[in-house]
Amino acid sequence: MASVDPSRSFMRDVKRVIIKVGTAVVSRQDGRLALGRVGSLCEQVKELNSLGFEVIMVTSGAVGVGRQRLRYRKLVNSSFADLQKPQMELDGKACAAVGQSGLMALYDMLFNQLDVSSSQLLVTDSDFENSKFREQLTATVESLLDLKVIPIFNENDAISTRKAPYEDSSGIFWDNDSLAGLLALELKADLLILLSDVDGLYSGPPSEPSSKIIHTYIKEKHHHEITFGDKSRVGRGGMTAKVKAAVLASNSGTPVVITSGFENQSIVKVLHGEKIGTLFHKDAGSWESSKDVSAREMAVAARDCSRRLQNLSSEERKKILLDVADALEANEDLIRSENEADVAAAQEAGYEKPLVARLTIKPGKIASLAKSIRTLANMEDPINQILKKTEVADDLVLEKTSCPLGVLLIVFESRPDALVQIASLAIRSGNGLLLKGGKEAIRSNTILHKVITDAIPRNVGDKLIGLVTTRDEIADLLKLDDVIDLVIPRGSNKLVSQIKASTKIPVLGHADGICHVYIDKSADMDMAKRIVMDAKIDYPAACNAMETLLVHKDLMKSPGVDDLLVALKTEGVSIYAGPVAHKALGFPKAGSFHHEYSSLACTVEFVDDVQSAIDHIHRYGSAHTDCIVTTDNTVAATFLRQVDSAAVFHNASTRFSDGARFGLGAEVGISTGRIHARGPVGVEGLLTTRWIMRGNGQVVNGDKDVALLQQTMVTRKFLQVTPWIIYPQHKHISCT
């Protein structure tokens, strides 16, 4: 999530920044220069330069480049007999001398392509013993920065006085990391960025699953906790050297961020204040405890509570839900009062009407939510159901059973009623839950969360359902793929897309709700009018509201269509048109067919036939819910069979696409994906399976001792990822 972290708000005042590029960043595994990566870094420096930042670079890589070149030259000039002899290690100083020119030639070429000038400054540690040198160095750099030239520093290893420049840590600086730290102080930099081949400082070697990134380094807390892995695969530094340089620089007043030079736009993201890499700051010890700890603690607590919930009997879990329903009704006045305060604040802040509509808890909504929860409570217990039972061999029985996913993270916007539905589904399915609602619903969400968690017994724990109150915590939670099992975003396309791009945790949901109603030439127009009016007007802000009306071309001049369009206009619906409808009806052109209005507006277009309607839906739809209105069952069958959406209806409003209306009790969201669950996601969509085997001492022993029977004893359908088809004329809903 591209949000500014509060601990990095000082970035807005940064003007002079030093960027240290490690050898592992500028070179590939084979020692050659990583041209694409270096080019990307130069483009970021160019962007910062044009924005008025004063950028100074410190680069490693000369020794590695020189070694690769000299090895190749030695190979070319060697006889076959020479190659049979033991090969001596190349002199590091010679490698540095050869590699420096090649490295700088690359920087010069790339910056010239970007219309930026660069300069080379080679220094040794002994230079800094001379005060006049230091004064002249500062003056030269100031002059270059005034001319918008990028100074590029490197330690002059070729003439370094240290006997072993890869091991000797004596002197004023001892590698390019410590050189960067020294320059940050000498040149009064506002920020030092150390680019590495990992995302930042970890609690242990990054390759170990238990290692976690440390976003803010606090010496008192982390100094004795960190276990360093191997040093850099190239160069002489590694994370140990970077941390040492970062601590020295930050203690002297220059903040430092260690981050990955492999990540796209990492430098720009750091300067935007995004929470990437590891921050070193002299005041970090006085800040609040790192939020990644509290986020992890919240997730772990939810998991522990969920395991206690699973240990309860079915009747005990049912009673919790019934208690929640009673508590909601008992606190309705308080809930409505807090919600009215949210609505008033949203209106005063100028929020759009669709958002205010989603935010509002209307009269009767609490009673409706309580009814849904009681329906859910009285449904068959979904946990520990035997889905398949197989006799693998004599007295060896294998069961496939249903079980909770674990911990769910739900991020939703505006709708406080979603909190109630999601919480009740989590309790019924035995899952732990973390909830993050929109800031516009903070009062409503807080009171609803309190009412619900107060109804959870102590032997389970009120941390079963955690309420995330700040946006910053979301970025931390999205990194907890070892604790959180599923993320379900409910909200705008932007929200869903951001979350999908920000986490390794599986994401279930939909980005758009572009629902279509197609009126076929054989449609009963009175029925079509009822369906279209309901699909658009009943709740325009809902994701299952109609956004596009497709009409068979033979109905273009029909009185029924004219009457329908007049009725829509009378109800305040703004009508936009596709190319054909614009020419025929004169409505304003729609900007795009792939558009979710979420308000009293829709697009109208005429199509040639049912196949054209299907093609239009596949091209511009979002695979959410689509409907056909027709009396021709053959045409209806074609539509139902071919439209590849999560829910496909015949002669029924798209507004039926809802967990409660499908008899699921409630829904956690609607999934347009094809993995795990599709359409309205109820309890079953929050479950997975596990295998339980009961035997009597059987062993495999190369399959010699057991005669495999593999006879199925019980089979039960569960978790089928299939589209929902609705046939209202037959008065039932089925999943095929």
Side-chain angles (χ1 to χ4, degrees), residues 14-21 45 48 53-59 137 141 145 150-153 176-195 249 254-258 267 270-271:
V14 169
K15 181 174 177 61
R16 179 170 295 180
V17 56
I18 294 179
I19 301 168
K20 190 270 174 177
V21 186
V45 171
L48 298 178
F53 287 93
E54 296 177 347
V55 184
I56 301 165
M57 294 182 65
V58 178
T59 184
L137 177 68
V141 171
L145 294 176
I150 307 298
I152 303 178
F153 282 86
N176 278 317
D177 290 314
S178 56
L179 170 59
L182 176 61
L183 290 172
L185 306 183
E186 288 286 333
L187 302 175
K188 295 180 173 57
D190 301 313
L191 178 69
L192 170 59
I193 300 175
L194 301 176
L195 295 180
T254 301
V256 182
V257 174
I258 299 176
I267 299 171
V270 167
L271 286 163

Short mmCIF file of all heavy atoms in Angstrom, two decimals, residues 14-21 45 48 53-59 137 141 145 150-153 176-195 249 254-258 267 270-271:
data_model
loop_
_atom_site.label_atom_id
_atom_site.label_comp_id
_atom_site.label_asym_id
_atom_site.label_seq_id
_atom_site.Cartn_x
_atom_site.Cartn_y
_atom_site.Cartn_z
N VAL A 14 13.57 16.10 3.32
CA VAL A 14 14.86 15.66 2.78
C VAL A 14 15.16 16.40 1.48
O VAL A 14 14.31 16.48 0.59
CB VAL A 14 14.86 14.13 2.54
CG1 VAL A 14 16.08 13.71 1.74
CG2 VAL A 14 14.81 13.39 3.87
N LYS A 15 16.38 16.91 1.38
CA LYS A 15 16.82 17.56 0.14
C LYS A 15 18.08 16.89 -0.41
O LYS A 15 18.17 16.60 -1.58
CB LYS A 15 17.08 19.05 0.36
CG LYS A 15 17.54 19.79 -0.91
CD LYS A 15 17.64 21.28 -0.68
CE LYS A 15 18.17 22.00 -1.93
NZ LYS A 15 17.28 21.83 -3.09
N ARG A 16 19.06 16.65 0.48
CA ARG A 16 20.32 16.05 0.05
C ARG A 16 20.34 14.58 0.47
O ARG A 16 20.23 14.26 1.65
CB ARG A 16 21.50 16.79 0.64
CG ARG A 16 22.87 16.21 0.24
CD ARG A 16 24.01 17.12 0.66
NE ARG A 16 23.96 18.38 -0.07
CZ ARG A 16 24.85 19.36 0.09
NH1 ARG A 16 25.84 19.22 0.97
NH2 ARG A 16 24.73 20.49 -0.59
N VAL A 17 20.51 13.71 -0.49
CA VAL A 17 20.46 12.28 -0.21
C VAL A 17 21.68 11.60 -0.83
O VAL A 17 22.09 11.91 -1.95
CB VAL A 17 19.15 11.64 -0.75
CG1 VAL A 17 18.97 11.88 -2.22
CG2 VAL A 17 19.12 10.14 -0.46
N ILE A 18 22.28 10.70 -0.06
CA ILE A 18 23.39 9.88 -0.55
C ILE A 18 22.87 8.47 -0.78
O ILE A 18 22.23 7.88 0.09
CB ILE A 18 24.57 9.86 0.45
CG1 ILE A 18 25.18 11.28 0.55
CG2 ILE A 18 25.63 8.86 0.02
CD1 ILE A 18 26.34 11.37 1.53
N ILE A 19 23.15 7.93 -1.95
CA ILE A 19 22.69 6.58 -2.32
C ILE A 19 23.92 5.70 -2.50
O ILE A 19 24.76 5.97 -3.37
CB ILE A 19 21.85 6.60 -3.60
CG1 ILE A 19 20.63 7.50 -3.42
CG2 ILE A 19 21.43 5.19 -3.99
CD1 ILE A 19 19.91 7.80 -4.72
N LYS A 20 24.04 4.68 -1.69
CA LYS A 20 25.15 3.74 -1.82
C LYS A 20 24.66 2.48 -2.53
O LYS A 20 23.71 1.83 -2.09
CB LYS A 20 25.73 3.41 -0.45
CG LYS A 20 27.06 2.64 -0.54
CD LYS A 20 26.84 1.14 -0.57
CE LYS A 20 28.15 0.40 -0.82
NZ LYS A 20 27.97 -1.07 -0.79
N VAL A 21 25.33 2.15 -3.63
CA VAL A 21 24.93 1.00 -4.44
C VAL A 21 25.95 -0.11 -4.23
O VAL A 21 27.14 0.06 -4.53
CB VAL A 21 24.86 1.38 -5.93
CG1 VAL A 21 24.31 0.22 -6.75
CG2 VAL A 21 24.01 2.62 -6.13
N VAL A 45 17.48 8.18 -10.14
CA VAL A 45 18.32 9.32 -9.79
C VAL A 45 17.98 10.51 -10.67
O VAL A 45 17.91 11.66 -10.20
CB VAL A 45 19.81 8.95 -9.91
CG1 VAL A 45 20.69 10.20 -9.77
CG2 VAL A 45 20.19 7.91 -8.87
N LEU A 48 14.79 12.08 -9.35
CA LEU A 48 15.03 12.86 -8.14
C LEU A 48 15.76 14.16 -8.47
O LEU A 48 15.46 15.22 -7.90
CB LEU A 48 15.85 12.04 -7.14
CG LEU A 48 15.21 10.75 -6.62
CD1 LEU A 48 16.16 10.04 -5.68
CD2 LEU A 48 13.89 11.04 -5.93
N PHE A 53 16.05 17.33 -5.83
CA PHE A 53 16.87 16.68 -4.81
C PHE A 53 18.35 16.80 -5.20
O PHE A 53 18.71 16.80 -6.38
CB PHE A 53 16.51 15.19 -4.69
CG PHE A 53 15.20 14.92 -4.02
CD1 PHE A 53 14.04 14.79 -4.76
CD2 PHE A 53 15.13 14.80 -2.64
CE1 PHE A 53 12.82 14.54 -4.15
CE2 PHE A 53 13.92 14.54 -2.01
CZ PHE A 53 12.76 14.43 -2.77
N GLU A 54 19.21 16.90 -4.20
CA GLU A 54 20.64 16.85 -4.41
C GLU A 54 21.09 15.42 -4.17
O GLU A 54 21.07 14.93 -3.03
CB GLU A 54 21.36 17.81 -3.45
CG GLU A 54 21.00 19.27 -3.69
CD GLU A 54 21.65 20.20 -2.69
OE1 GLU A 54 22.18 19.72 -1.65
OE2 GLU A 54 21.64 21.42 -2.93
N VAL A 55 21.48 14.73 -5.23
CA VAL A 55 21.78 13.30 -5.16
C VAL A 55 23.27 13.06 -5.29
O VAL A 55 23.92 13.55 -6.22
CB VAL A 55 21.03 12.52 -6.25
CG1 VAL A 55 21.29 11.03 -6.09
CG2 VAL A 55 19.53 12.80 -6.18
N ILE A 56 23.82 12.33 -4.34
CA ILE A 56 25.23 11.92 -4.34
C ILE A 56 25.25 10.39 -4.32
O ILE A 56 24.52 9.77 -3.54
CB ILE A 56 25.97 12.46 -3.11
CG1 ILE A 56 25.90 14.00 -3.09
CG2 ILE A 56 27.42 11.99 -3.09
CD1 ILE A 56 26.28 14.60 -1.76
N MET A 57 26.06 9.80 -5.16
CA MET A 57 26.13 8.34 -5.21
C MET A 57 27.48 7.84 -4.71
O MET A 57 28.51 8.49 -4.90
CB MET A 57 25.90 7.84 -6.64
CG MET A 57 24.50 8.09 -7.18
SD MET A 57 24.27 7.42 -8.85
CE MET A 57 24.44 5.66 -8.54
N VAL A 58 27.43 6.69 -4.05
CA VAL A 58 28.64 5.94 -3.70
C VAL A 58 28.45 4.56 -4.29
O VAL A 58 27.46 3.88 -3.98
CB VAL A 58 28.84 5.84 -2.18
CG1 VAL A 58 30.08 5.02 -1.87
CG2 VAL A 58 28.94 7.22 -1.56
N THR A 59 29.35 4.16 -5.17
CA THR A 59 29.13 2.89 -5.86
C THR A 59 30.26 1.91 -5.60
O THR A 59 31.43 2.28 -5.53
CB THR A 59 28.99 3.11 -7.38
OG1 THR A 59 28.69 1.85 -8.00
CG2 THR A 59 30.26 3.69 -7.99
N LEU A 137 37.01 18.92 -0.78
CA LEU A 137 36.01 17.93 -1.20
C LEU A 137 34.61 18.50 -1.07
O LEU A 137 33.79 18.39 -1.99
CB LEU A 137 36.14 16.67 -0.35
CG LEU A 137 35.11 15.56 -0.62
CD1 LEU A 137 35.35 14.95 -1.99
CD2 LEU A 137 35.17 14.49 0.45
N VAL A 141 32.00 19.20 -4.22
CA VAL A 141 30.67 18.56 -4.27
C VAL A 141 29.58 19.62 -4.32
O VAL A 141 28.61 19.50 -5.09
CB VAL A 141 30.48 17.62 -3.07
CG1 VAL A 141 29.03 17.14 -3.00
CG2 VAL A 141 31.41 16.43 -3.16
N LEU A 145 26.81 19.91 -7.27
CA LEU A 145 25.37 19.85 -7.00
C LEU A 145 24.66 21.10 -7.49
O LEU A 145 23.52 21.03 -7.97
CB LEU A 145 25.13 19.66 -5.49
CG LEU A 145 25.60 18.31 -4.91
CD1 LEU A 145 25.40 18.30 -3.40
CD2 LEU A 145 24.85 17.14 -5.56
N ILE A 150 25.73 14.78 -10.94
CA ILE A 150 25.68 13.71 -9.94
C ILE A 150 27.11 13.30 -9.58
O ILE A 150 27.82 12.70 -10.40
CB ILE A 150 24.92 12.48 -10.49
CG1 ILE A 150 23.54 12.87 -11.01
CG2 ILE A 150 24.82 11.40 -9.40
CD1 ILE A 150 22.62 13.46 -9.99
N PRO A 151 27.57 13.59 -8.36
CA PRO A 151 28.89 13.10 -7.94
C PRO A 151 28.82 11.61 -7.63
O PRO A 151 27.92 11.16 -6.91
CB PRO A 151 29.19 13.91 -6.66
CG PRO A 151 28.15 15.00 -6.61
CD PRO A 151 26.96 14.47 -7.34
N ILE A 152 29.74 10.84 -8.18
CA ILE A 152 29.78 9.40 -7.94
C ILE A 152 31.10 9.05 -7.26
O ILE A 152 32.17 9.17 -7.86
CB ILE A 152 29.61 8.59 -9.25
CG1 ILE A 152 28.31 8.99 -9.95
CG2 ILE A 152 29.63 7.10 -8.96
CD1 ILE A 152 28.08 8.28 -11.27
N PHE A 153 31.04 8.63 -6.01
CA PHE A 153 32.22 8.31 -5.21
C PHE A 153 32.51 6.82 -5.27
O PHE A 153 31.61 5.99 -5.40
CB PHE A 153 32.00 8.70 -3.75
CG PHE A 153 32.17 10.16 -3.45
CD1 PHE A 153 31.11 11.04 -3.61
CD2 PHE A 153 33.39 10.64 -2.99
CE1 PHE A 153 31.26 12.38 -3.31
CE2 PHE A 153 33.55 11.98 -2.69
CZ PHE A 153 32.49 12.86 -2.86
N ASN A 176 32.95 0.65 1.16
CA ASN A 176 32.10 1.71 0.60
C ASN A 176 30.87 1.99 1.45
O ASN A 176 30.27 3.07 1.33
CB ASN A 176 31.70 1.35 -0.84
CG ASN A 176 32.79 1.71 -1.84
OD1 ASN A 176 33.38 2.78 -1.76
ND2 ASN A 176 33.07 0.79 -2.76
N ASP A 177 30.44 1.04 2.29
CA ASP A 177 29.34 1.33 3.22
C ASP A 177 29.78 2.37 4.24
O ASP A 177 29.08 3.35 4.50
CB ASP A 177 28.89 0.04 3.93
CG ASP A 177 28.19 -0.92 3.01
OD1 ASP A 177 27.31 -0.48 2.24
OD2 ASP A 177 28.52 -2.12 3.04
N SER A 178 30.97 2.14 4.84
CA SER A 178 31.45 3.11 5.83
C SER A 178 31.85 4.42 5.16
O SER A 178 31.73 5.50 5.76
CB SER A 178 32.63 2.53 6.62
OG SER A 178 33.67 2.12 5.76
N LEU A 179 32.32 4.36 3.89
CA LEU A 179 32.59 5.60 3.14
C LEU A 179 31.30 6.40 2.98
O LEU A 179 31.29 7.63 3.16
CB LEU A 179 33.19 5.27 1.77
CG LEU A 179 33.31 6.45 0.78
CD1 LEU A 179 34.18 7.56 1.36
CD2 LEU A 179 33.85 5.97 -0.56
N ALA A 180 30.21 5.72 2.63
CA ALA A 180 28.92 6.41 2.47
C ALA A 180 28.49 7.06 3.78
O ALA A 180 27.99 8.19 3.80
CB ALA A 180 27.86 5.43 1.99
N GLY A 181 28.71 6.35 4.90
CA GLY A 181 28.37 6.92 6.20
C GLY A 181 29.22 8.13 6.52
O GLY A 181 28.72 9.14 7.06
N LEU A 182 30.50 8.05 6.20
CA LEU A 182 31.40 9.18 6.44
C LEU A 182 31.00 10.39 5.59
O LEU A 182 30.96 11.52 6.08
CB LEU A 182 32.84 8.76 6.13
CG LEU A 182 33.91 9.85 6.24
CD1 LEU A 182 33.97 10.42 7.64
CD2 LEU A 182 35.28 9.29 5.83
N LEU A 183 30.70 10.15 4.33
CA LEU A 183 30.29 11.25 3.44
C LEU A 183 28.98 11.88 3.90
O LEU A 183 28.77 13.09 3.74
CB LEU A 183 30.16 10.74 2.00
CG LEU A 183 31.48 10.38 1.31
CD1 LEU A 183 31.20 9.70 -0.03
CD2 LEU A 183 32.34 11.62 1.09
N ALA A 184 28.07 11.06 4.46
CA ALA A 184 26.81 11.61 4.95
C ALA A 184 27.06 12.67 6.02
O ALA A 184 26.36 13.68 6.08
CB ALA A 184 25.94 10.49 5.52
N LEU A 185 28.10 12.46 6.84
CA LEU A 185 28.43 13.43 7.88
C LEU A 185 29.21 14.61 7.31
O LEU A 185 28.92 15.76 7.62
CB LEU A 185 29.23 12.74 8.99
CG LEU A 185 28.60 11.49 9.62
CD1 LEU A 185 29.49 10.97 10.75
CD2 LEU A 185 27.21 11.79 10.14
N GLU A 186 30.19 14.31 6.47
CA GLU A 186 31.03 15.37 5.90
C GLU A 186 30.21 16.33 5.04
O GLU A 186 30.42 17.55 5.07
CB GLU A 186 32.14 14.75 5.05
CG GLU A 186 33.23 14.06 5.84
CD GLU A 186 34.16 15.06 6.53
OE1 GLU A 186 34.31 16.19 6.03
OE2 GLU A 186 34.74 14.68 7.56
N LEU A 187 29.28 15.79 4.27
CA LEU A 187 28.53 16.59 3.31
C LEU A 187 27.16 17.00 3.84
O LEU A 187 26.33 17.52 3.09
CB LEU A 187 28.39 15.82 1.99
CG LEU A 187 29.72 15.40 1.34
CD1 LEU A 187 29.47 14.53 0.12
CD2 LEU A 187 30.55 16.62 0.96
N LYS A 188 26.90 16.69 5.12
CA LYS A 188 25.65 17.09 5.80
C LYS A 188 24.42 16.62 5.01
O LYS A 188 23.52 17.40 4.69
CB LYS A 188 25.61 18.61 5.99
CG LYS A 188 26.70 19.12 6.94
CD LYS A 188 26.63 20.62 7.10
CE LYS A 188 27.60 21.10 8.18
NZ LYS A 188 29.00 20.72 7.90
N ALA A 189 24.39 15.33 4.71
CA ALA A 189 23.26 14.75 3.99
C ALA A 189 22.04 14.65 4.91
O ALA A 189 22.17 14.46 6.12
CB ALA A 189 23.62 13.37 3.45
N ASP A 190 20.85 14.76 4.31
CA ASP A 190 19.61 14.61 5.07
C ASP A 190 19.18 13.15 5.18
O ASP A 190 18.38 12.80 6.04
CB ASP A 190 18.48 15.40 4.39
CG ASP A 190 18.81 16.88 4.28
OD1 ASP A 190 19.25 17.46 5.30
OD2 ASP A 190 18.63 17.46 3.20
N LEU A 191 19.73 12.32 4.29
CA LEU A 191 19.33 10.91 4.27
C LEU A 191 20.41 10.10 3.58
O LEU A 191 21.00 10.54 2.59
CB LEU A 191 18.00 10.73 3.53
CG LEU A 191 17.47 9.29 3.38
CD1 LEU A 191 17.04 8.74 4.74
CD2 LEU A 191 16.30 9.24 2.40
N LEU A 192 20.65 8.89 4.09
CA LEU A 192 21.54 7.93 3.45
C LEU A 192 20.74 6.67 3.13
O LEU A 192 20.07 6.12 4.01
CB LEU A 192 22.70 7.58 4.39
CG LEU A 192 23.60 6.40 3.99
CD1 LEU A 192 24.26 6.64 2.64
CD2 LEU A 192 24.66 6.15 5.08
N ILE A 193 20.78 6.24 1.87
CA ILE A 193 20.11 5.01 1.45
C ILE A 193 21.17 4.00 1.07
O ILE A 193 22.01 4.26 0.19
CB ILE A 193 19.17 5.27 0.26
CG1 ILE A 193 18.09 6.29 0.63
CG2 ILE A 193 18.52 3.96 -0.20
CD1 ILE A 193 17.19 6.68 -0.55
N LEU A 194 21.18 2.86 1.73
CA LEU A 194 22.11 1.77 1.43
C LEU A 194 21.35 0.68 0.68
O LEU A 194 20.48 0.03 1.26
CB LEU A 194 22.72 1.21 2.73
CG LEU A 194 23.50 2.20 3.61
CD1 LEU A 194 23.94 1.52 4.90
CD2 LEU A 194 24.70 2.76 2.87
N LEU A 195 21.66 0.50 -0.59
CA LEU A 195 20.96 -0.48 -1.41
C LEU A 195 21.65 -1.84 -1.30
O LEU A 195 22.87 -1.95 -1.46
CB LEU A 195 20.92 -0.03 -2.88
CG LEU A 195 20.11 1.24 -3.15
CD1 LEU A 195 20.16 1.58 -4.64
CD2 LEU A 195 18.67 1.10 -2.69
N ALA A 249 26.12 6.44 11.25
CA ALA A 249 25.57 7.62 10.60
C ALA A 249 24.32 8.12 11.31
O ALA A 249 24.17 9.33 11.53
CB ALA A 249 25.25 7.30 9.13
N THR A 254 22.22 11.55 10.79
CA THR A 254 21.73 11.31 9.43
C THR A 254 20.89 10.03 9.41
O THR A 254 21.43 8.94 9.61
CB THR A 254 22.88 11.17 8.43
OG1 THR A 254 23.67 12.35 8.45
CG2 THR A 254 22.34 10.95 7.02
N PRO A 255 19.59 10.12 9.17
CA PRO A 255 18.77 8.91 9.07
C PRO A 255 19.25 8.02 7.93
O PRO A 255 19.74 8.53 6.90
CB PRO A 255 17.36 9.45 8.80
CG PRO A 255 17.41 10.87 9.25
CD PRO A 255 18.79 11.35 9.00
N VAL A 256 19.11 6.72 8.10
CA VAL A 256 19.57 5.76 7.10
C VAL A 256 18.45 4.75 6.83
O VAL A 256 17.75 4.33 7.75
CB VAL A 256 20.83 5.00 7.60
CG1 VAL A 256 21.34 4.04 6.52
CG2 VAL A 256 21.92 5.98 8.01
N VAL A 257 18.31 4.37 5.56
CA VAL A 257 17.39 3.30 5.19
C VAL A 257 18.17 2.26 4.41
O VAL A 257 18.82 2.58 3.41
CB VAL A 257 16.21 3.81 4.34
CG1 VAL A 257 15.36 2.63 3.84
CG2 VAL A 257 15.34 4.77 5.13
N ILE A 258 18.14 1.02 4.86
CA ILE A 258 18.69 -0.11 4.11
C ILE A 258 17.53 -0.77 3.38
O ILE A 258 16.55 -1.19 4.01
CB ILE A 258 19.37 -1.12 5.03
CG1 ILE A 258 20.54 -0.48 5.78
CG2 ILE A 258 19.88 -2.32 4.22
CD1 ILE A 258 21.21 -1.41 6.78
N ILE A 267 14.17 3.49 -4.49
CA ILE A 267 14.69 4.78 -4.00
C ILE A 267 13.56 5.80 -3.92
O ILE A 267 13.42 6.51 -2.92
CB ILE A 267 15.81 5.29 -4.94
CG1 ILE A 267 16.97 4.31 -4.99
CG2 ILE A 267 16.30 6.66 -4.48
CD1 ILE A 267 18.01 4.63 -6.04
N VAL A 270 11.26 5.11 -0.98
CA VAL A 270 11.83 5.54 0.30
C VAL A 270 11.59 7.03 0.51
O VAL A 270 11.15 7.47 1.58
CB VAL A 270 13.34 5.22 0.35
CG1 VAL A 270 14.00 5.94 1.52
CG2 VAL A 270 13.57 3.72 0.48
N LEU A 271 11.84 7.82 -0.53
CA LEU A 271 11.70 9.27 -0.40
C LEU A 271 10.24 9.71 -0.36
O LEU A 271 9.95 10.82 0.07
CB LEU A 271 12.44 9.97 -1.55
CG LEU A 271 13.96 9.93 -1.37
CD1 LEU A 271 14.68 10.25 -2.66
CD2 LEU A 271 14.40 10.89 -0.28
#
